Amino acid sequence: MINGVVPIYKEAGYSSFYYVNQLKKIFKQKKVGHIGTLDPSVTGILPICLGNATKLVESMMNKKKAYSCTILIGQATETEDLTGKVIATKKVEPEISITEIDLVLKSFKGENYQVPPFFSAVRYHGKHLYEYARNDIYIRKPSRLFEVSNIFRTSSINRSLPNTCEFDFEVFCSKGTYIRTLCTQIGEKLGYPAVMKNLTRIASGGFEIDQAIPLSKLKKATNAQNFVIPLEQLLQNLPTRELTDIEFSQVKNGAPVVFDLNQTKVALKYQQKIIAIYRLDQGLYRADMMFLDNINENYKSKK
């Protein structure tokens, strides 16, 4: 089994699940999962976990995400992006100043609340909200907390289109942030309907877009495994401990062990491969995550 992460570049027009299926075929294994869904129209980095790295999905999703977005002011749609029908318009007049836009963007730094869009993957009674919305049933979920660590404009104001204006911005935010809804909120503060025009995710799960690999390049590779970032690199910020044969015989069964370490969490290695993460608990180190499939089968069977 191959264990690690492939930071894929997702193109517009494809679902995140499509890329998961493609990597299942390329690497000929079933245990594959992505870090954070991207809508079909959205481009950008989509880290995909293979094998035991899927156990790290939740912790990797907690890392900050970053997006590059184009917002259109003066128009709103039912989906909060350009895929939905227009539900509101308002002529942008007089012109909105750069100073006003920058102040509104800055006001979102810190903790904020937003209601998930009607057309979103949030579940209600076992179904996605978008499944209800497509049948004209609109479920309003409670507002959710999200955090913006930084947000700033990255382009001039394009006023060439009649009755509207648009500009680009980047935002660094917590998981669960809906950029479509953020665009709506920005518009509200400016006094106009607004919609997300284009979106690219530029950072996710500890990876940045310049690390992203096009699917076409992966398919053409003579050895696709060369593009897999291994567990050892993914967990390089954790302190490590190389196990003796005796210690390995205990750890491979998930038994608690005693280490003379001053660490709350440690990555345990055997034959230079990470096989487990152990956490300090009441004087003993206990299993937190196991990665036994990360080592050669011969080592597991003979010890």
Side-chain angles (χ1 to χ4, degrees), residues 9 42 49 52 129 139 150 192 195 209 241 259 279 284:
Y9 181 83
V42 178
C49 296
N52 279 323
L129 292 191
I139 308 296
N150 202 6
Y192 291 93
V195 65
I209 197 164
R241 164 68 183 265
F259 291 132
R279 185 187 299 270
L284 291 174

Side-chain angles (χ1 to χ4, degrees), residues 241-261 263-269 275-290:
R241 164 68 183 265
E242 182 73 24
L243 298 174
T244 65
D245 288 348
I246 294 175
E247 289 171 338
F248 173 71
S249 66
Q250 297 173 289
V251 169
K252 74 174 184 177
N253 295 314
V257 291
V258 177
F259 291 132
D260 185 18
L261 299 171
Q263 306 289 344
T264 56
K265 189 186 286 189
V266 61
L268 302 181
K269 284 186 172 183
I275 64 160
I277 296 175
Y278 265 46
R279 185 187 299 270
L280 184 62
D281 178 31
Q282 297 180 346
L284 291 174
Y285 282 90
R286 304 179 190 274
D288 189 36
M289 290 185 188
M290 300 296 291

Side-chain angles (χ1 to χ4, degrees), residues 156-189:
S156 58
I157 313 303
N158 181 358
R159 309 182 195 273
S160 62
L161 297 175
N163 304 324
T164 65
C165 69
E166 62 183 57
F167 60 89
D168 301 334
F169 69 91
E170 287 187 9
V171 57
F172 296 75
C173 55
S174 61
K175 73 171 184 177
T177 305
Y178 287 96
I179 308 302
R180 288 178 288 154
T181 303
L182 178 60
C183 288
T184 298
Q185 292 174 298
I186 291 169
E188 288 173 350
K189 285 196 175 185

Side-chain angles (χ1 to χ4, degrees), residues 179-232:
I179 308 302
R180 288 178 288 154
T181 303
L182 178 60
C183 288
T184 298
Q185 292 174 298
I186 291 169
E188 288 173 350
K189 285 196 175 185
L190 290 170
Y192 291 93
V195 65
M196 184 184 81
K197 186 174 180 180
N198 294 304
L199 184 66
T200 297
R201 186 160 67 187
I202 57 177
S204 178
F207 298 97
E208 297 185 1
I209 197 164
D210 59 2
Q211 298 173 272
I213 302 156
L215 182 62
S216 57
K217 183 176 181 179
L218 194 66
K219 285 182 174 180
K220 293 177 182 177
T222 54
N223 188 356
Q225 193 168 344
N226 290 338
F227 293 100
V228 179
I229 298 171
L231 287 175
E232 289 69 32

Side-chain angles (χ1 to χ4, degrees), residues 30-42:
K30 294 181 179 180
K31 192 180 285 188
V32 180
H34 63 72
I35 302 172
T37 303
L38 289 178
D39 292 337
S41 61
V42 178

